[in-house]
């Protein structure tokens, strides 16, 4: 230390005594909190300080002095390089407990509630479970995932969370680009062609492939299609998506079928769903079934209840509820998703029970009739992590939850999700308390569940690094 103050590059021996919201270990140095990437609670580690802030320090593990029994060797060659997983250096049991403690701590410190958060419903399958992959493309060509806190693409041959077909299809696009000198898209200049490779796979291991390009036509389209079909004999369709906007949004507005069909069918909770490229569908089918069935069982629907599902997407939660409810009313702002939801209701014989409209949820909540709903489901889309939109998004979350609370009678249930990359447990708890206060209602928390395991997404934050599911009752 210089004058007793910590400095960047300093090596310190620290004991990890907890976890931060991003999975980093937490230690203390002279009263200051130190966030230690790669640390596990109970371990003594030699930590190299990488950043010195006014009230906190950041560091990385240089050497583990006494390893935790929970420490394992990360099987992924790209771990710590890409911005996906945060917990591969610890076993799954410790990962689940770390997340459970984090949720409980947030509820206690910021929610003001002394609630014991029950054990997380862990997954049986922790590898190869993702049914959707989205690979950014960069000059090289490099196709893979973003480096943490950047848009620098790491070339990833295989991700252990993705299906094997996704790896083969990624490789086929890379070879096609190299062979025919197809340029990757350049985010800064807006030039180049290939932006992303999208792969969706169903339970039958059929794959729908979408190449996102900065143009409506590609050179050597037939050769691309042949390469993809050869790499994946169970391909259902090859789609070209055109996105010419300078934006972080992956998909553009226009689609064209290059080969096969533009949708897949998949099954969830005993129901059949038609899925196009932009359709929202839980990336972990097995865990989605655990989550949905838990909510359904707890609701105890008898066939007399009315359910409101805001941001219903393609109708997955709506249709699960519709199997036991009197009426389910769904709202979704994306017209293709609404069309899929209606078609899914028809395919499952639930059109008489489920109604879905294309509407802005904010406007809809103002115009809904006065009759109360027995259950309201809130699963909003993930907002961007951009600092320019965080305040607006927080206000939006609060307003949506506030209006939903006002629609519920005493004894009614609110199932809500904190599904945004910046929405930590701390922010979410503060927002809910403010919404309940303004709505002049009291909430009794029934459950707080987090869906696991981790999976990488394109914004460098694992989706399971924020709370997935809350269940409240108006009292």
């Amino acid at each position: 230390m210089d004058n007793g103050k910590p400095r960047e590059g300093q090596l310190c021996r620290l004991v990890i005594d907890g976890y931060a919201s991003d999975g980093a270990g937490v230690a203390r140095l002279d009263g200051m909190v130190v966030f230690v990437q790669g640390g596990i609670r109970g371990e003594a580690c030699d930590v190299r300080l990488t950043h010195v802030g006014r009230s906190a320090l950041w560091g990385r593990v240089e050497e583990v002095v006494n390893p935790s029994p929970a420490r394992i060797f990360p099987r992924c060659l790209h771990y710590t390089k890409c911005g996906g997983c945060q917990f591969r250096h610890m076993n799954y049991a410790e990962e689940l407990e770390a997340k459970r403690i984090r949720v409980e701590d947030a509820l206690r410190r910021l929610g003001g509630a002394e609630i014991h958060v029950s054990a997380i419903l862990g997954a049986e399958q922790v590898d190869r479970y993702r049914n959707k992959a989205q690979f950014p493309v960069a000059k090289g060509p490099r196709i893979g995932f973003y480096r943490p806190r950047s848009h620098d693409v790491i070339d990833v041959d295989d991700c252990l969370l993705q299906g094997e077909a996704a790896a083969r299809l990624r490789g086929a696009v890379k070879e096609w680009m190299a062979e025919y000198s197809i340029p990757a898209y350049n985010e800064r200049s807006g030039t180049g062609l290939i932006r992303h490779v999208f792969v969706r796979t169903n339970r039958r291991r059929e794959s729908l492939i979408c190449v996102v390009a900065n143009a409506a036509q590609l050179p050597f389209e037939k050769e691309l299609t042949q390469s993809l079909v050869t790499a994946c004999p169970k391909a259902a369709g090859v789609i070209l998506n055109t996105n010419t906007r300078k934006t972080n949004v992956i998909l553009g507005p226009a689609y064209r079928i290059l080969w096969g069909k533009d949708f897949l069918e998949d099954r969830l909770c005993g129901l059949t769903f038609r899925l196009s490229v932009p359709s929202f569908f839980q990336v972990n089918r097995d865990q989605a079934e655990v989550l949905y069935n838990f909510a359904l069982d707890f609701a105890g629907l008898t066939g007399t209840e009315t359910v409101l599902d805001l941001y219903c997407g393609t109708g997955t939660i709506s249709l699960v509820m519709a199997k036991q409810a009197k009426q389910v009313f769904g709202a979704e702002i994306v017209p293709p998703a609404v069309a899929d939801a209606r078609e899914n209701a028809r395919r499952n014989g639930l059109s008489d029970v489920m109604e879905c409209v294309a509407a802005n949820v904010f406007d809809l909540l103002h115009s809904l009739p006065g009759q109360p709903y027995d259950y309201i489901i809130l699963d909003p889309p993930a907002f961007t992590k951009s600092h320019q939109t965080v305040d607006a998004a927080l206000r939006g979350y609060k307003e949506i939850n506030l209006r939903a609370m006002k629609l519920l009678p005493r004894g009614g249930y609110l199932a809500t999700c904190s599904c945004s990359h910046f929405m930590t447990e701390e922010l979410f708890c503060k927002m809910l308390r403010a919404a309940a206060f303004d709505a002049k209602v009291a909430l009794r928390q029934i459950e707080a569940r987090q869906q696991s395991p981790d999976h990488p997404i394109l914004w460098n934050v694992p989706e399971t690094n924020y709370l997935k599911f809350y269940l409240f009752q108006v009292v």
Side-chain angles (χ1 to χ4, degrees):
M1 294 189 184
D2 292 332
N3 299 321
K5 296 182 179 180
R7 66 181 188 279
E8 292 184 6
Q10 179 183 338
L11 188 65
C12 313
R13 180 159 296 183
L14 303 175
V15 176
I16 311 298
D17 58 19
Y19 297 105
S21 60
D22 64 352
V26 174
R28 282 161 178 79
L29 177 64
D30 295 333
M32 295 185 72
V33 172
V34 187
F35 299 105
V36 182
Q37 291 295 332
I40 300 177
R41 61 176 178 161
E43 292 183 335
C45 302
D46 287 337
V47 176
R48 183 79 62 183
L49 298 183
T50 57
H51 179 70
V52 175
R54 289 186 177 181
S55 58
L57 309 170
W58 284 260
R60 64 173 182 270
V61 173
E62 292 282 307
E63 183 178 353
V64 179
V65 179
N66 60 331
S68 165
R71 179 170 290 278
I72 60 175
F73 182 78
R75 292 185 296 114
C76 177
L77 296 175
H78 309 285
Y79 183 58
T80 73
K81 297 182 179 68
C82 92
C85 304
Q86 257 72 30
F87 295 94
R88 282 197 170 270
H89 60 289
M90 64 179 70
N91 62 31
Y92 191 42
E94 180 69 9
E95 174 186 339
L96 295 182
E97 181 61 9
K99 294 176 179 179
R100 189 201 68 78
I101 292 172
R102 193 177 73 223
V103 173
E104 189 172 83
D105 181 62
L107 291 171
R108 180 181 297 112
R109 288 188 299 106
L110 291 145
E114 290 294 329
I115 295 175
H116 173 71
V117 176
S118 52
I120 293 175
L121 300 178
E124 292 184 7
Q125 181 65 35
V126 297
D127 286 332
R128 305 291 185 192
Y129 61 84
R130 279 186 64 94
N131 56 48
K132 184 179 77 171
Q134 297 176 133
F135 301 108
V137 182
K139 182 180 179 180
R142 289 170 285 133
I143 304 179
F145 298 107
Y146 291 125
R147 193 184 298 276
R149 296 173 295 280
S150 79
H151 268 216
D152 180 24
V153 176
I154 302 298
D155 200 39
V156 176
D157 292 332
D158 187 23
C159 171
L160 295 177
L161 304 184
Q162 310 289 351
E164 294 177 351
R168 295 197 303 271
L169 291 163
R170 169 211 163 274
V173 174
K174 182 177 179 179
E175 291 177 4
W176 169 78
M177 291 179 67
E179 181 175 356
Y180 296 101
S181 301
I182 308 297
Y185 178 71
N186 185 302
E187 287 186 340
R188 293 186 177 182
S189 66
T191 59
L193 281 178
I194 308 303
R195 299 175 66 132
H196 282 84
V197 178
F198 171 105
V199 180
R200 189 192 293 279
T201 305
N202 63 13
R203 289 191 187 274
R204 296 194 295 265
R205 300 185 185 279
E206 299 168 329
S207 293
L208 183 65
I209 307 107
C210 178
V211 176
V212 183
N214 187 36
Q217 300 281 338
L218 291 178
F220 305 103
E221 285 183 356
K222 290 184 178 180
E223 289 79 2
L224 170 63
T225 298
Q226 184 58 50
S227 295
L228 293 171
V229 174
T230 300
C232 182
K234 299 191 75 173
V238 179
I239 312 298
L240 177 65
N241 173 261
T242 300
N243 186 357
T244 58
R245 299 171 294 188
K246 293 189 71 171
T247 174
N248 286 334
V249 177
I250 295 174
L251 296 172
Y255 297 85
R256 181 163 61 89
I257 299 175
L258 299 183
W259 179 88
K261 56 187 181 181
D262 62 352
F263 68 92
L264 276 182
E265 287 187 351
D266 209 348
R267 290 189 60 80
L268 183 73
C269 296
L271 298 167
T272 300
F273 293 90
R274 172 182 168 133
L275 305 171
S276 56
V277 172
S279 298
F280 173 79
F281 196 66
Q282 291 283 357
V283 296
N284 188 336
R285 278 182 300 261
D286 293 341
Q287 282 297 86
E289 289 186 337
V290 171
L291 186 69
Y292 293 173
N293 284 327
F294 174 83
L296 185 63
D297 291 345
F298 190 89
L301 299 175
T302 63
T304 62
E305 297 84 2
T306 301
V307 179
L308 176 62
D309 184 8
L310 303 174
Y311 305 101
C312 68
T314 56
T316 50
I317 303 178
S318 298
L319 291 172
V320 170
M321 292 290 179
K323 292 193 295 183
Q324 297 183 21
K326 176 183 178 181
Q327 187 70 43
V328 178
F329 185 78
E332 171 60 51
I333 198 171
V334 181
V338 173
D340 283 341
R342 291 170 177 167
E343 174 62 17
N344 290 332
R346 185 195 68 79
R347 286 169 177 254
N348 291 283
L350 294 169
S351 296
D352 293 339
V353 181
M354 178 193 167
E355 179 183 355
C356 184
V357 298
N360 182 298
V361 167
F362 285 95
D363 297 335
L364 182 70
L365 285 172
H366 275 305
S367 61
L368 282 173
Q371 79 264 23
Y373 293 88
D374 299 292
Y375 292 87
I376 296 179
I377 300 165
L378 273 173
D379 191 3
F383 292 100
T384 170
K385 199 180 179 183
S386 166
H387 291 294
Q388 288 81 359
T389 62
V390 167
D391 290 341
L394 281 171
R395 290 194 297 271
Y397 269 110
K398 178 186 174 183
E399 184 67 17
I400 294 167
N401 280 276
L402 187 154
R403 296 183 192 178
M405 291 172 190
K406 287 183 175 180
L407 286 171
L408 285 169
R410 181 171 293 182
Y413 290 89
L414 172 68
T416 185
C417 299
S418 56
C419 52
S420 181
H421 309 143
F422 66 84
M423 186 66 80
T424 62
E425 293 91 350
E426 290 85 351
L427 285 174
F428 195 68
C429 289
K430 291 178 70 174
M431 179 276 297
L432 282 178
R433 290 182 69 187
F437 179 83
D438 291 350
K440 296 180 173 60
V441 302
L443 297 179
R444 179 171 69 93
Q445 182 163 321
I446 306 299
E447 277 292 340
R449 294 282 183 178
Q450 190 164 8
Q451 190 176 1
S452 293
D454 278 347
H455 41 277
I457 58 175
L458 299 181
W459 303 104
N460 301 319
V461 183
E463 290 180 10
T464 46
N465 261 355
Y466 53 85
L467 186 65
K468 182 63 184 174
F469 174 75
Y470 280 103
L471 185 62
F472 294 98
Q473 184 179 30
V474 176
V475 295

